[in-house]
Amino acid sequence: MDGIGDVAVGVKRGSDELNMYSNSVSDGASNGNDSKKLRVEEAPPSRVIHIRKLPNEASDTEVIALGLPFGKVTNILTLKGKNQAFLEMGTEETAITMVNYYNTVPPHVRNVPVFLQYSNHKELKTDASNQRTQAVLHAVSAVQSPGSDVQEVLAAASSPVLRIIIDNMFYPVTLDVLQQIFSKFGTVMKIITFTKNNQFQALLQFSDPVNAQHAKLALDGQNIYNSCCTLRIDFSKLVNLNVKYNNDKSRDYTRPELPAGDGQPSLDPAVAAALGKDSSSLLGKIPGALNPLSAAAAAAAAAGRVALAGHAVSSGVLLVSNLNEEMVTPQSLFTLFGVYGDVQRVKILYNKKDSALIQMSDSNQAQLAMSHLNGQKMYGKIIRVTLSKHQTVALPRDGLDDQGLTKDYANSPLHRFKKPGSKNFQNIFPPSATLHLSNVPQDGTEEDLRLLFSNTGGTVKAFKFFQDRKMALLQMSTVEEAIQALIDLHNYNMGNNQHLRVSFSKSTI
């Protein structure tokens, strides 16, 4: 049976104790930090795995966690001074599965890539004290609830879904903050947030159970903001989340076309059942009445920095990747990101034209744009938006031609938020299939506008004038079509120098 076996744990420190394993370099490297000096033939398959380049602070628990999703772990030997370890699996078959998997998905311990290969040793012989063995066993078995058996532990550890509870929540925690933190450990597919028993909780699904395992080990008990908002993480019994709406309470990053709904995530019955009998109370409001991104930015500023997010939230520069390099232009990025803030500069990277840096007016606007546009489709590709380490976007040196890849928009008349107290601040919504049109000419007709928006490559499904006919709602078939229409037609000259204004709407027709 796969499971956590009777794990013996040994830590060899003295040079006289390393006789048996002093040839650890023969398993692939001269030491943990110098893999290039010695080239040796790869060892044949063995149930003992040699792990190199471990971070100094790596624990036995984290090393064991590398093997746990694949089956029974029977022994571990750590060579602290060499940043190496040996992990003995229950069978050679599980060791082969583990090595094959990590050859395609490189493993990380504490965000540091580590290297695995078969050891020349067929088994580990250590004389670790029983007390230490029990201590590590207890740590590895932390996911095990009282009375559950080893098979249940493995079942939990093989789930890609984590259940997250936030303790000491002095500042609002949003879905986007969680995505930013947990995405450091792998691809976050889906998130559902809710309140239960007056506590903010979330279900978060990774693309792979190994990512969930690593995230739990690294983040459980950590604070999101300094001295507060403590993460309590367990594995969920669910293996898949069913998200029906993309809004500030639930998100499916694999399906950006989902509707925004009414802001309340509709839980699949299986999810509700797994969360307990009082699932009807799960759909309460998230604490904090502020705009979720403004709240996140304000909280981060008040706390000094986001403790786990890896960036001070002072940067107003975004890195946008996976762009359609054949179609994207600085102007199209200026128009789309300008929905969420005043874009100052745009630079499409010269040597990587599917990526761009976008400088917003401030960090709040950068957070807002990242929240709403990460995972959306632009020119047929799902774009990724993250905070950049850069504080500003540099302009080309005088006389240097960068083929128009860098544009300065600091003095653009098209900024939506340059007037303090502008109503535009109150009308910021996620991308949606329904668009809000304003500044429509007096002689503009429904037919004119339907034809204009059909020419962007999409289908107009519905149209409705407001009473004064200066504004209208227009619904495209998909969110992607609406994004394209906004890029093409915001500031479109309707004649007599009257320019159409296009925004995303929270309404439906």
Side-chain angles (χ1 to χ4, degrees), residues 107 161 267 359 453:
V161 180
L267 291 190
Q359 182 178 335
F453 278 78

Side-chain angles (χ1 to χ4, degrees), residues 166-171 173 221-232 299-300 302-308:
I166 311 291
D167 283 341
N168 304 317
M169 192 163 150
F170 297 146
Y171 301 109
V173 175
Q222 298 288 327
N223 294 329
I224 296 178
Y225 302 119
N226 292 339
S227 305
C228 69
C229 300
T230 307
L231 290 165
R232 304 293 179 202
R305 60 169 283 137
V306 179
L308 289 173

Side-chain angles (χ1 to χ4, degrees), residues 57-94:
E57 65 276 17
S59 67
D60 292 331
T61 305
E62 290 167 304
V63 175
I64 291 172
L66 293 173
L68 195 60
F70 303 94
K72 185 176 175 181
V73 178
T74 52
N75 207 339
I76 180 174
L77 169 68
T78 54
L79 308 177
K80 291 288 187 184
K82 291 180 175 287
N83 300 92
Q84 299 181 32
F86 294 89
L87 197 66
E88 182 184 274
M89 303 299 290
T91 66
E92 191 173 291
E93 183 182 5
T94 55

Side-chain angles (χ1 to χ4, degrees), residues 27-47:
D27 285 336
S30 55
N31 60 52
N33 300 311
D34 189 359
S35 60
K36 296 181 180 178
K37 290 185 178 179
L38 188 59
R39 299 285 183 190
V40 284
E41 292 184 14
E42 189 174 335
S46 162
R47 67 191 183 101

Side-chain angles (χ1 to χ4, degrees), residues 292-371:
L293 257 293
S294 300
R305 60 169 283 137
V306 179
L308 289 173
H311 292 287
V313 186
S314 59
S315 172
V317 179
L318 297 167
L319 172 63
V320 188
S321 56
N322 202 41
L323 292 163
N324 184 333
E325 58 185 271
E326 302 296 325
M327 302 288 291
V328 73
T329 62
Q331 183 64 37
S332 63
L333 292 169
F334 167 78
T335 302
L336 179 58
F337 281 75
V339 173
Y340 300 105
D342 291 339
V343 175
Q344 302 298 303
R345 292 176 181 175
V346 177
K347 179 189 286 289
I348 295 175
L349 303 187
Y350 186 82
N351 293 322
K352 192 170 172 39
K353 291 186 173 65
D354 69 345
S355 300
L357 293 172
I358 299 177
Q359 182 178 335
M360 309 296 288
S361 285
D362 58 43
S363 59
N364 284 5
Q365 293 181 2
Q367 287 270 354
L368 205 58
M370 179 176 70
S371 157

Side-chain angles (χ1 to χ4, degrees), residues 453-503:
F453 278 78
S454 295
N455 286 338
T456 63
T459 302
V460 177
K461 289 187 68 177
F463 183 92
K464 177 184 175 183
F465 265 124
F466 283 67
Q467 192 169 1
D468 62 3
R469 295 183 68 87
K470 293 180 181 177
M471 295 188 291
L473 293 177
L474 182 144
Q475 185 178 340
M476 305 296 290
S477 291
T478 66
V479 175
E480 183 183 2
E481 287 182 6
I483 289 174
Q484 185 64 54
L486 182 143
I487 289 171
D488 290 348
L489 295 176
H490 177 63
N491 200 47
Y492 180 81
N493 188 348
M494 298 288 291
N496 299 321
N497 207 29
Q498 192 160 353
H499 294 265
L500 188 67
R501 297 181 63 82
V502 185
S503 305

